[in-house]
Amino acid sequence: MNLLIATTPYKNHTKAIYNRESDLASKSVLHQKEVLQYNLASPFEFWSNEFENLGLNANIVFPRIPQFQEQWVNENKIRNINLNEEEVLLHQIKEYKTEILFIFDFTFITKAFLHRVREISKKIIIVTWYGAPISNQKDLSLCDYVLTNSKNLCYELKNNGIKVNFIPHAFEPSIYKLREFKFLQKSIDFSFIGSINDEANTHLDRSRIIEHLSRETGIQVWSDLDKISFLNSLRLQVLATRFDFANYISDSSLLKKFAEMYPIKRWSELKVRPNLHFKNFKSIYKKLHQPVYGQDMLKILGGSELTFNGHSLHTGIDSVNMRLFEASGMGTCQLVDDRPILYDFFEPDHEILTFKTVSEAISKSKELLNDDRLRNQIAENSKKKTLSSHTTKHQVIQVLDFLNLR
């Protein structure tokens, strides 16, 4: 059975990897694959290895990484090819005699592209991963199977007649082969790594909690939240005030006649009100570091005594994020927002600690930071559980069972 995984990591992350290893683009496909795997450090990049270990013929490609794809074209002596992303991927599907194609990039899930894939082989099975809601959900029906880490999304897709299965995230333990992970020291008391924003349907709740934790504890935050200078924050507040005033005038039956007057008309011409989220996250800004991904993110996690894990809302209450397994796999105690599905994976108060309110998050984080024995025991217990039950190998076996390939 020939399997091919086509995955697309964060663009900024892959750009940083190639900038850091300046001659990487000239290296072989095999070398680039290994460097990318260990730097990206997520289970998806190691699926091909685990499939191979289980006796299947598997390969991985990175359709949106031009350096990797160009080297693949050169090594396979592909001639007369237009080097656009779709054409190269189609050649790879054909070259590897692909029977099962895992596409982890929604931009390729289109009727036109998948029609061309099926022209290569009508028997090819197409599988994708659905980790967060997308506007064109109906396009998932173009695939034969869908995998998701959210039972809520699983239920939605099943109701729409799509063959879907719940597959939780996992941890890739091979990161421990790297020297720097063998001697990792815990030099950070309390960390949070992830997105912060004021969007009600994604991260608003957890962002508010982190703001409170930033006031009450020594938490350090690694996020892509932009730092705003004092002058720029003042400018945005003025623009927002003008925008609000102009719209108030326009909506008022008594004052509407003034809406066309200068400068009120110009103030209302802003298409979008400036986002003043920085006003809600003043304490976070004092603890803010540049975002980290992959191997660098795992180093921060592994170097933390305690980490905060708050789930996004847009995947539903019946889902678990990757951070749950990354933190536990790195042997770090984590404080997690309480949701029933957690208990399918970890034992509360023994392998993880949960909270339901802001005040409980603050009190439990302080308790854990002050109790070395409790914190270290929870960290050790959760690491044992993850390495014994929630690794890439376990995840891949679940996928094969779903596809009836074992």
Side-chain angles (χ1 to χ4, degrees), residues 265-276:
K265 180 175 173 56
R266 182 168 64 85
W267 293 350
S268 66
E269 287 174 353
L270 272 178
K271 292 182 180 179
V272 179
R273 184 182 188 272
N275 191 326
L276 303 182

Side-chain angles (χ1 to χ4, degrees), residues 111-348:
K111 189 173 184 179
F113 180 73
L114 296 187
H115 174 73
R116 296 188 67 191
V117 171
R118 296 190 191 281
E119 283 183 333
I120 296 171
S121 170
K122 291 182 179 179
K123 294 182 179 180
I124 195 166
I125 297 171
I126 299 172
V127 186
T128 194
W129 183 279
Y130 186 42
I134 55 173
S135 56
N136 55 332
Q137 189 188 80
K138 66 181 189 310
D139 288 348
L140 295 174
S141 63
L142 298 169
C143 300
D144 296 291
Y145 300 101
V146 177
L147 312 172
T148 179
N149 60 297
S150 167
K151 289 186 177 181
N152 300 87
L153 296 178
C154 193
Y155 179 76
E156 279 182 30
L157 295 182
K158 280 183 178 177
N159 281 347
N160 291 326
I162 294 172
K163 293 179 181 177
V164 59
N165 196 46
F166 172 74
I167 304 286
H169 283 301
F171 174 72
E172 175 46 52
S174 62
I175 198 76
Y176 282 115
K177 293 179 182 177
L178 301 180
R179 185 177 182 277
E180 54 266 45
F181 282 87
K182 292 179 181 177
F183 305 101
L184 201 59
Q185 299 296 313
K186 290 194 177 293
S187 58
I188 302 162
D189 287 338
F190 192 13
S191 67
F192 168 76
I193 306 171
S195 297
I196 290 174
N197 59 48
D198 55 2
E199 296 172 6
N201 65 332
T202 58
H203 303 119
L204 176 59
D205 284 355
R206 86 169 181 201
S207 299
R208 284 174 173 168
I209 294 170
I210 295 167
E211 173 66 13
H212 284 284
L213 288 171
S214 297
R215 295 175 200 159
E216 299 286 339
T217 72
I219 192 170
Q220 298 295 309
V221 177
W222 283 262
S223 179
D224 56 2
L225 187 66
D226 291 330
K227 287 190 175 182
I228 307 291
S229 68
F230 172 75
L231 288 178
N232 198 30
S233 67
L234 193 62
R235 182 183 69 84
L236 290 172
Q237 289 181 76
V238 169
L239 289 173
T241 302
R242 288 176 174 179
F243 182 87
D244 293 343
F245 179 71
N247 279 280
Y248 172 77
I249 295 293
S250 298
D251 293 340
S252 170
S253 57
L254 294 174
L255 303 174
K256 197 168 186 177
K257 61 183 178 181
F258 297 105
E260 295 300 315
M261 294 176 60
Y262 182 87
I264 296 173
K265 180 175 173 56
R266 182 168 64 85
W267 293 350
S268 66
E269 287 174 353
L270 272 178
K271 292 182 180 179
V272 179
R273 184 182 188 272
N275 191 326
L276 303 182
H277 63 256
F278 57 86
K279 294 180 70 177
N280 301 322
F281 307 136
K282 289 180 180 178
S283 297
I284 291 176
Y285 277 109
K286 296 174 184 177
K287 311 289 183 72
L288 188 61
H289 303 270
Q290 290 295 314
V292 285
Y293 307 101
Q295 186 186 129
D296 294 333
M297 179 269 295
L298 291 178
K299 286 178 184 175
I300 298 296
L301 273 182
S304 301
E305 294 283 2
L306 174 66
T307 196
F308 176 85
N309 183 5
H311 285 79
S312 168
L313 298 179
H314 62 323
T315 53
I317 193 70
D318 248 359
S319 65
V320 286
N321 59 21
M322 194 179 290
R323 190 72 78 247
L324 184 70
F325 304 102
E326 291 166 335
S328 56
M330 289 306 301
T332 296
C333 180
Q334 60 183 309
L335 183 62
V336 192
D337 55 322
D338 188 80
R339 45 181 54 198
I341 193 174
L342 288 175
Y343 310 136
D344 293 343
F345 305 98
F346 294 99
E347 185 181 337

